[in-house]
Structure formats: structure tokens, C-alpha cells
DNA sequence: ATTTAATTTAACCAGATGGTCAAAAGTACT
DNA sequence: AGTACTTTTGACCATCTGGTTAAATTAAAT
């Protein structure tokens, strides 16, 4: 076993454990077992549970501040197409990592300074997007809307149905997961349609 | 100290502890301290951490399946006004209990059967609302939309900004909580506007 | 082959945690 | 005042948990 392999094994195991159970629920022993190593080796590579957690959290968070925002820097498509592209992209990422948003939200709920720091470091700068929205409002392509609301609406309709899927499945489909999965797949088109329908200037 | 008082004290303390820290993070000792009693008394009233948790979870969940749904049974207002009334009501409840939705979502993430059972018992029946949406589509007052999507959109835009407030505050306003609070207060009008704008039939 | 450094393990430890128990304190009833 | 029942407590326990240490194994360098 060389160092690189073990370290990677640990990270994968820790990722699963932390994201599935949260910091408090995660067990160092479980991570060691899943990585096929001794618990002491865990502390040899990452000094403490806290340190290991921070590595995992950082990785997870990075996944969700994607280059996807770059969509809004493209000049070959218009604003509505950018929204479509963004939503589709984001929903794809969410489908691949459905447990990460809930994980991030939960761990951030109590605002432990260690994590807040990480978020601040990595957090993306949305001001270009804000400006772009404001520009569209000025141009009159979309009706008057505060940029923050629009951003929040897009993120809400994309992320929430994933984060709250257990309850949503029960309430909407009496627990039928297949039906809910179908609904989710429909949302790749639905969400952007719904948004564009709402913001587009009806006079054009 | 009479029984009623102690029991109520425990429940209040447990509510705070569980909702703030989650089942795994909650400590029986902390609950006992906060209730001003002995830890053994906790087990005298509620046999185990699990049992106590279930009581708290049930209470919390009940708060969010409100009679508010009754809004949709009113006959004195039209569909759009119902949406407005619902959103305003729901956002008020959320403002009063901002930590409960995240709590419910997190505890349900791993689908422990004990909790799933509770949810199934209490979960509201949305079929009247679904039918109402479909009726509006037939009437042509709103454009064609699948009822589940509309419901999910309303809930998403209402709940997500509260659940994800720590990150949202950082990303949108660099951590300025006052600005975010202002934004949230604006949403009582914004969310229903945004929705109605999206679904209303433009030909009418 | 021998020394040196890195990797891995088994055995332990201290503190925390949920939970128990027998006795004490309180209450109600006669 | 005495009995019976409920409520409350302090002391205690078994187990779990993150973390440590010293020794063993393996790999790298000379």
C-alpha cells in the first residue's frame, strides 16, 4: 500500500460516512473499516475528526460552486438560454451528488466558524450575474425583478426538490419513488420554463 | 413541581436541543440541564432518547402541515388569491420556526423507519389541491402545468431560502444578515407574484 | 546489507454518553 | 400519624468514541 492509495481510500470512505451521517453522526471507526485500515492510521493521515471533516466539506462544497457559473459569461447565447443551460447543468450535478446539498446546509446550520471560513474562501462572486440581470431589466427583456430574488428562485427550485426528496416523495406520491424520479427528470425543462415564463416581458 | 410542569419543561428543552443539534448531536444531559432537572428524570418521563425524539419530531412536523392548507377550501377567493394567502401564511410560520424545516429534512434523510411512520400518519392529503390545479388548467385560468410541479415550486421558493439561509446570506450579501432579512421579508409578496406571473394564462 | 525514514498495526486510555437503580422527598388519602 | 403512590435525585454502569503510543512492518537510500 502506498501513501496515495491509502489517502484516497480514506477520503472516499470519509466522504460517504460524513455526507451520509453528518459530522456528529459519522464514526471514525466506520470510516476506518470502510477504508480497510486501522483507526490509528486515520489519525496518522488526518490528525483529527475535525481536520478530516474539513477536507471532505471543502471537496463537497467545491463541487457545487461550479464552473457552471461560467455559463453566464458566454456571449453566444441570450439570457434565457443561459438560464436553461444553467438549470440543466445544475440539475445534472445534483442528480450525481444528491446528498451533498443537504449535507452542506446541515453542517452550516450552526455556523461553526471553521466551516464558515471554508465557505467564504470558496464562495463564488455573483456580482457579474447580478449585473447581468439588472442589465436585462434595463433592456426590458425581462420585467423588473430584484436580482437576488431571481437567483434565489432558481436555486430554490433546483435544489429543494432534491434536498427534501424523502418528504416530497411521501406527500406528493405516497412514497412512490419511481414517480418522484420521473417528476425530477421532468424538472430539467420545467424549472427553466417556469422561470422564463415568469420573468419575460409580456410586451415583447 | 407537578407532573405537568416538569413534562412541559422537558419538552421545551428537548425541542430546542433536538432541533438545534439534530438527533445525533443532541445530548440528554444538555436537555436535563436546560429543563433544570436530573437526567434520570428524563428517562422516567420518556423512556429513551429515541422516544423523546419521536415526540419532538411529531410536534415539529405537525406545525408544518397546517390548517393553512384549508386556504384552498375557501370559496370566497379565487385561485390566485389562494396562492397569495397560502404563501403569506406559510412564510409567517417559517419566520416563527425557521429551524424546523431543516430539522425535518435532515432527520428524514436517512429514512429511519420510526420517523417515516410518523410522517405517513400525519402527512396531509394533497389530492384536493391537485384536483383544484387541474380544474384551473381545464378552465384555462392558468396555463398547462403539472400540479406536482406547481406545488413543488411553491414549497421550494418558500422553504429553501429559510433552510439555506446561512449559505444564501454569504453568497448573496457577503454574510450581511440584515440585508438577507430584508430580502426574506420582501418574499411574502415576491413569491406569489413570481408564481402567478408564471402560471397565469396570458390570453386572458 | 545496513541504516533511515515512512507506513501500519494492536493495545490502550480518558472522557463522554445513554441508561439504570435504589433510596429519598413529596403528595394524597385514611 | 401512617400508608400507598408518585416524583425526584445521586451514585453508578456498560459501552462507545476520538485519540495516543510504542512497537512492528515495509520501503528508500547508502
Amino acid at each position: 500500500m502506498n501513501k496515495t492509495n491509502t489517502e484516497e481510500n480514506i477520503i472516499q470512505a470519509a466522504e460517504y460516512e460524513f455526507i451520509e451521517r453528518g459530522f456528529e453522526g459519522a464514526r471514525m471507526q466506520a470510516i476506518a473499516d470502510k477504508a480497510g485500515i486501522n483507526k490509528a492510521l486515520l489519525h496518522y493521515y488526518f490528525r483529527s475528526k475535525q481536520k478530516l471533516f474539513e477536507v471532505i466539506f471543502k471537496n463537497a462544497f467545491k463541487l457545487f460552486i461550479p464552473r457552471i457559473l461560467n455559463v453566464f459569461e458566454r456571449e453566444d447565447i441570450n439570457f434565457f438560454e443561459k438560464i436553461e443551460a444553467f438549470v440543466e447543468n445544475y440539475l445534472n450535478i445534483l442528480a450525481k451528488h444528491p446528498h451533498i446539498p443537504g449535507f452542506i446546509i446541515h453542517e452550516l446550520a450552526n455556523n461553526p466558524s471553521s466551516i464558515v471560513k471554508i465557505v467564504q474562501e470558496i464562495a463564488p462572486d455573483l456580482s457579474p450575474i447580478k449585473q447581468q440581470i439588472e442589465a436585462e431589466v434595463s433592456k426590458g427583456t425581462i420585467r423588473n425583478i430584484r436580482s437576488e430574488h431571481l437567483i434565489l428562485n432558481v436555486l430554490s427550485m433546483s435544489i429543494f426538490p432534491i434536498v427534501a426528496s424523502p418528504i416530497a416523495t411521501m406527500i406528493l406520491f405516497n412514497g412512490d419513488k419511481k414517480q418522484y424520479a420521473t417528476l425530477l427528470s421532468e424538472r430539467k425543462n420545467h424549472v427553466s420554463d417556469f422561470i422564463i415564463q415568469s420573468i419575460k416581458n409580456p410586451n415583447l
Side-chain angles (χ1 to χ4, degrees), chain A residues 161 164-177 179-180:
Chain A
S165 70
I167 327 163
T169 307
M170 286 194 242
I171 287 181
L172 291 176
F173 298 119
N174 271 312
D176 186 329
K177 289 178 189 173
Q179 283 190 64
Y180 193 71

Side-chain angles (χ1 to χ4, degrees), chain A residues 2-48:
Chain A
N2 56 71
K3 174 165 180 165
T4 332
N5 240 320
T6 305
E7 202 169 322
E8 186 52 35
N9 286 346
I10 294 177
I11 287 187
Q12 282 200 345
E15 233 162 73
Y16 180 86
E17 180 77 1
F18 277 127
I19 292 175
E20 204 70 16
R21 312 211 189 286
F23 179 81
E24 291 283 358
R27 299 285 168 254
M28 292 297 266
Q29 187 60 60
I31 296 173
D33 291 350
K34 209 161 292 173
I37 55 159
N38 191 285
K39 197 179 53 165
L41 199 52
L42 230 54
H43 289 85
Y44 174 76
Y45 278 94
F46 306 85
R47 291 188 5 177
S48 65

Side-chain angles (χ1 to χ4, degrees), chain A residues 8 36 82 107 133 144 164 167 184:
Chain A
E8 186 52 35
K82 286 178 186 175
E107 300 302 338
I133 295 172
N144 190 29
I167 327 163
L184 281 186

